[in-house]
Amino acid sequence: MYATRIDLYHPPRDEITLQGVLHALSDPLRLDLVRQLAECGGERACGSFDLPIAKSTATHHWRVLREAGVVKAREEGTKKYHSLRRADLDARFPGLLDSILANA
Amino acid sequence: MYATRIDLYHPPRDEITLQGVLHALSDPLRLDLVRQLAECGGERACGSFDLPIAKSTATHHWRVLREAGVVKAREEGTKKYHSLRRADLDARFPGLLDSILANA
DNA sequence: GGCGTTGTACGATGAGTACCGTACAAATGT
DNA sequence: ACATTTGTACGGTACTCATCGTACAACGCC
């Protein structure tokens, strides 16, 4: 017996913490995901990333990024799209994302 | 039989990695140390920080910061002084430290 | 209905790490 | 010479986390 899919949790802007963001981005793979997301500008399907890891591991990394408030997830059919929460991050931690991405 | 004290390793500027810095600063206690170091401007003795942890744990955190290239350590007698490697960090990751400290 | 696609939940495993207490070393002060 | 101060090395413990395989769910398509 397996549970039904749970609604995706996204922290509100005020609850995004610096610790959480730094921790989320301190993993090379996650930083790379974020870098690619920033490059493409908008939304991008999970599946369009060519990752050297198992599907379940990718799920884990996207969850860490989402729960840290770094990315926004949207489901559409069987697919899932992610985008950077740039406005929220810039409002809460001005300059942080830019400096990290510029130096990635 | 205990080993003699080893020379303190500090990574050269070029070997400081973004991952390493982000990881080092993703711990609340270490970020707080760095914030206090930045506040005081220059060097500061380890012992002058009032930490809620055991001495050996403090040694651990200072080592993580030092090996990530975030701080410089200098021994003088039985005491040890730390300072931020601000010039190195600013040169390697422009804006990063400022934006993190500004938002800490 | 049946099949492929896409991603999740779960359980397990191995690596890393935050923390502690204790024993110690090196320098300083008395 | 001895005690104090300051920080380290070590061993241990508990917790986190990155990773995987497998079983599954939701959806779309034939």
mmCIF file of all heavy atoms in Angstrom, chain B residues 42-59:
data_model
loop_
_atom_site.group_PDB
_atom_site.id
_atom_site.type_symbol
_atom_site.label_atom_id
_atom_site.label_comp_id
_atom_site.label_asym_id
_atom_site.label_seq_id
_atom_site.Cartn_x
_atom_site.Cartn_y
_atom_site.Cartn_z
ATOM 1 N N GLY B 42 39.647 42.817 12.300
ATOM 2 C CA GLY B 42 40.939 42.168 12.107
ATOM 3 C C GLY B 42 41.051 40.815 12.773
ATOM 4 O O GLY B 42 40.191 39.960 12.604
ATOM 5 N N GLU B 43 42.104 40.651 13.495
ATOM 6 C CA GLU B 43 42.340 39.385 14.173
ATOM 7 C C GLU B 43 41.569 39.303 15.474
ATOM 8 O O GLU B 43 41.262 40.312 16.082
ATOM 9 C CB GLU B 43 43.827 39.263 14.504
ATOM 10 C CG GLU B 43 44.656 38.619 13.437
ATOM 11 C CD GLU B 43 46.034 38.325 13.986
ATOM 12 O OE1 GLU B 43 46.439 38.969 14.970
ATOM 13 O OE2 GLU B 43 46.703 37.474 13.431
ATOM 14 N N ARG B 44 41.325 38.074 15.863
ATOM 15 C CA ARG B 44 40.662 37.901 17.141
ATOM 16 C C ARG B 44 41.034 36.537 17.705
ATOM 17 O O ARG B 44 41.116 35.562 16.967
ATOM 18 C CB ARG B 44 39.150 38.017 16.950
ATOM 19 C CG ARG B 44 38.434 38.082 18.266
ATOM 20 C CD ARG B 44 37.012 38.541 18.107
ATOM 21 N NE ARG B 44 36.244 38.103 19.271
ATOM 22 C CZ ARG B 44 34.941 38.182 19.371
ATOM 23 N NH1 ARG B 44 34.240 38.692 18.377
ATOM 24 N NH2 ARG B 44 34.316 37.763 20.455
ATOM 25 N N ALA B 45 41.250 36.483 18.988
ATOM 26 C CA ALA B 45 41.640 35.231 19.628
ATOM 27 C C ALA B 45 40.449 34.282 19.682
ATOM 28 O O ALA B 45 39.330 34.694 19.978
ATOM 29 C CB ALA B 45 42.167 35.502 21.025
ATOM 30 N N CYS B 46 40.726 33.024 19.387
ATOM 31 C CA CYS B 46 39.725 31.965 19.515
ATOM 32 C C CYS B 46 38.958 32.076 20.817
ATOM 33 O O CYS B 46 37.738 32.043 20.855
ATOM 34 C CB CYS B 46 40.399 30.587 19.576
ATOM 35 S SG CYS B 46 40.893 29.905 18.024
ATOM 36 N N GLY B 47 39.748 32.198 21.886
ATOM 37 C CA GLY B 47 39.170 32.131 23.216
ATOM 38 C C GLY B 47 38.230 33.265 23.541
ATOM 39 O O GLY B 47 37.443 33.184 24.476
ATOM 40 N N SER B 48 38.274 34.330 22.742
ATOM 41 C CA SER B 48 37.440 35.484 23.046
ATOM 42 C C SER B 48 36.006 35.303 22.567
ATOM 43 O O SER B 48 35.160 36.163 22.790
ATOM 44 C CB SER B 48 38.038 36.739 22.410
ATOM 45 O OG SER B 48 37.836 36.746 21.013
ATOM 46 N N PHE B 49 35.744 34.186 21.880
ATOM 47 C CA PHE B 49 34.379 33.909 21.471
ATOM 48 C C PHE B 49 33.708 33.086 22.560
ATOM 49 O O PHE B 49 34.281 32.118 23.055
ATOM 50 C CB PHE B 49 34.357 33.111 20.164
ATOM 51 C CG PHE B 49 34.861 33.875 18.982
ATOM 52 C CD1 PHE B 49 36.220 33.942 18.707
ATOM 53 C CD2 PHE B 49 33.977 34.526 18.138
ATOM 54 C CE1 PHE B 49 36.686 34.650 17.615
ATOM 55 C CE2 PHE B 49 34.437 35.233 17.037
ATOM 56 C CZ PHE B 49 35.796 35.297 16.786
ATOM 57 N N ASP B 50 32.511 33.501 22.917
ATOM 58 C CA ASP B 50 31.791 32.771 23.950
ATOM 59 C C ASP B 50 30.865 31.765 23.268
ATOM 60 O O ASP B 50 29.766 32.098 22.839
ATOM 61 C CB ASP B 50 30.983 33.728 24.823
ATOM 62 C CG ASP B 50 30.562 33.054 26.119
ATOM 63 O OD1 ASP B 50 31.116 31.992 26.435
ATOM 64 O OD2 ASP B 50 29.666 33.601 26.798
ATOM 65 N N LEU B 51 31.354 30.543 23.149
ATOM 66 C CA LEU B 51 30.631 29.547 22.368
ATOM 67 C C LEU B 51 29.905 28.532 23.247
ATOM 68 O O LEU B 51 30.401 28.174 24.308
ATOM 69 C CB LEU B 51 31.617 28.812 21.460
ATOM 70 C CG LEU B 51 32.353 29.709 20.465
ATOM 71 C CD1 LEU B 51 33.393 28.918 19.709
ATOM 72 C CD2 LEU B 51 31.351 30.337 19.521
ATOM 73 N N PRO B 52 28.749 28.086 22.770
ATOM 74 C CA PRO B 52 27.943 27.136 23.539
ATOM 75 C C PRO B 52 28.357 25.689 23.262
ATOM 76 O O PRO B 52 27.534 24.800 23.304
ATOM 77 C CB PRO B 52 26.538 27.399 23.004
ATOM 78 C CG PRO B 52 26.759 27.774 21.586
ATOM 79 C CD PRO B 52 28.085 28.466 21.525
ATOM 80 N N ILE B 53 29.614 25.475 22.944
ATOM 81 C CA ILE B 53 30.073 24.138 22.588
ATOM 82 C C ILE B 53 31.382 23.829 23.301
ATOM 83 O O ILE B 53 32.023 24.730 23.853
ATOM 84 C CB ILE B 53 30.305 24.019 21.068
ATOM 85 C CG1 ILE B 53 31.200 25.162 20.616
ATOM 86 C CG2 ILE B 53 29.002 24.005 20.307
ATOM 87 C CD1 ILE B 53 31.639 25.053 19.190
ATOM 88 N N ALA B 54 31.764 22.564 23.270
ATOM 89 C CA ALA B 54 33.001 22.143 23.918
ATOM 90 C C ALA B 54 34.205 22.658 23.143
ATOM 91 O O ALA B 54 34.122 22.953 21.954
ATOM 92 C CB ALA B 54 33.053 20.624 24.008
ATOM 93 N N LYS B 55 35.343 22.749 23.831
ATOM 94 C CA LYS B 55 36.568 23.240 23.202
ATOM 95 C C LYS B 55 36.921 22.436 21.962
ATOM 96 O O LYS B 55 37.287 22.991 20.922
ATOM 97 C CB LYS B 55 37.739 23.140 24.189
ATOM 98 C CG LYS B 55 37.805 24.221 25.207
ATOM 99 C CD LYS B 55 39.151 24.209 25.940
ATOM 100 C CE LYS B 55 39.465 22.853 26.558
ATOM 101 N NZ LYS B 55 40.835 22.809 27.128
ATOM 102 N N SER B 56 36.799 21.130 22.070
ATOM 103 C CA SER B 56 37.209 20.287 20.942
ATOM 104 C C SER B 56 36.305 20.495 19.739
ATOM 105 O O SER B 56 36.750 20.375 18.598
ATOM 106 C CB SER B 56 37.221 18.824 21.350
ATOM 107 O OG SER B 56 36.075 18.481 22.081
ATOM 108 N N THR B 57 35.058 20.819 20.003
ATOM 109 C CA THR B 57 34.142 21.092 18.883
ATOM 110 C C THR B 57 34.520 22.412 18.218
ATOM 111 O O THR B 57 34.467 22.534 16.989
ATOM 112 C CB THR B 57 32.695 21.157 19.393
ATOM 113 O OG1 THR B 57 32.409 19.952 20.096
ATOM 114 C CG2 THR B 57 31.737 21.289 18.225
ATOM 115 N N ALA B 58 34.919 23.375 19.028
ATOM 116 C CA ALA B 58 35.349 24.654 18.471
ATOM 117 C C ALA B 58 36.566 24.447 17.568
ATOM 118 O O ALA B 58 36.641 25.008 16.468
ATOM 119 C CB ALA B 58 35.675 25.634 19.583
ATOM 120 N N THR B 59 37.505 23.648 18.036
ATOM 121 C CA THR B 59 38.674 23.330 17.202
ATOM 122 C C THR B 59 38.228 22.792 15.855
ATOM 123 O O THR B 59 38.752 23.177 14.800
ATOM 124 C CB THR B 59 39.552 22.270 17.907
ATOM 125 O OG1 THR B 59 40.042 22.794 19.125
ATOM 126 C CG2 THR B 59 40.708 21.848 17.028
#
